[in-house]
Amino acid sequence: MNKKNNSYQQGKLSTINITTLAVVLAFRIIFAFIPAFSYGQYVEFGVGFIGAALTGALFGPWYAMIVGVAADLITTSMKGYQFFIGFTFSAALGGFIYGLMLWRKDTTWLRVFITVLLVTLIVNLGFNSLWIRIMYGQAWLVFMPARIIKNAISLVLNTVVLKLLLSHPTTQRLINKYRF
């Protein structure tokens, strides 16, 4: 094993790795400002998952968690949203799941689907719905039906978008560069 790989495994990053993490973080922040299609107060279709998935595929679960937290804190402050630690936890957990499922693994249709399914069920429908319930005090029946429908649609769309992105030759070269 060469020195670069050994230092990475010990938690040290090269300058190029830190730069790439910063670029991915910047993309995550930019994605947060791309207008999302909203349906009501509790349902939103966006592209933020792309940055989380790409970070996980490139750097693994731990760095994807860190970038998720950083992206959430920065975008929350830049957009002037009310800070809620639950959504920061969700951003970290989503990055962790993407990293756990996609880092150093072949991105087959089944793997991408299962990954998106886990994020959808655990983070989006699970924790994020709980955070909405806590923050707004709405009854589950008020917002869950629309969220379930939205997430069922997003499951399919996000799987297709993510699989196409991860299969693109440019993305594959970048992923293979960081696959030690």
Side-chain angles (χ1 to χ4, degrees):
M1 183 178 299
N2 65 34
K3 184 176 180 177
K4 178 182 174 187
N5 294 347
N6 191 27
S7 67
Y8 182 79
Q9 290 179 350
Q10 293 174 0
K12 297 177 185 174
L13 293 173
S14 69
T15 304
I16 191 71
N17 289 8
I18 293 170
T19 304
T20 305
L21 277 168
V23 169
V24 173
L25 174 61
F27 276 121
R28 288 201 60 181
I29 294 167
I30 291 167
F31 287 149
F33 284 91
I34 293 175
F37 172 74
S38 296
Y39 176 76
Q41 186 177 1
Y42 310 112
V43 177
E44 190 174 276
F45 291 93
V47 294
F49 73 96
I50 295 172
L54 191 56
T55 308
L58 287 171
F59 291 101
W62 302 110
Y63 288 113
M65 281 178 58
I66 293 167
V67 170
V69 168
D72 181 72
L73 295 175
I74 292 168
T75 57
T76 298
S77 65
M78 287 178 73
K79 287 185 167 188
Y81 289 162
Q82 177 184 353
F83 174 75
F84 184 73
I85 192 73
F87 290 116
T88 305
F89 171 78
S90 290
L93 182 59
F96 182 82
I97 293 170
Y98 282 121
L100 189 67
M101 297 296 294
L102 299 176
W103 187 46
R104 298 181 176 174
K105 304 209 172 55
D106 292 331
T107 52
T108 63
W109 278 103
L110 181 60
R111 177 168 296 283
V112 172
F113 174 77
I114 290 170
T115 303
V116 175
L117 179 65
L118 288 171
V119 171
T120 298
L121 293 175
I122 297 169
V123 178
N124 299 347
L125 286 173
F127 284 110
N128 285 351
S129 296
L130 177 62
W131 310 145
I132 289 170
R133 170 83 168 101
I134 290 170
M135 286 184 70
Y136 299 107
Q138 295 290 327
W140 292 103
L141 288 176
V142 170
F143 65 89
M144 280 307 286
R147 287 183 60 76
I148 290 169
I149 292 168
K150 175 268 181 193
N151 278 282
I153 295 167
S154 290
L155 175 63
V156 175
L157 293 175
N158 292 3
T159 299
V160 170
V161 168
L162 196 54
K163 175 58 178 156
L164 293 175
L165 175 71
L166 294 174
S167 298
H168 192 275
T170 303
T171 309
Q172 280 296 303
R173 279 193 302 276
L174 188 59
I175 288 171
N176 289 335
K177 180 177 182 174
Y178 292 98
R179 186 177 285 174
F180 311 120

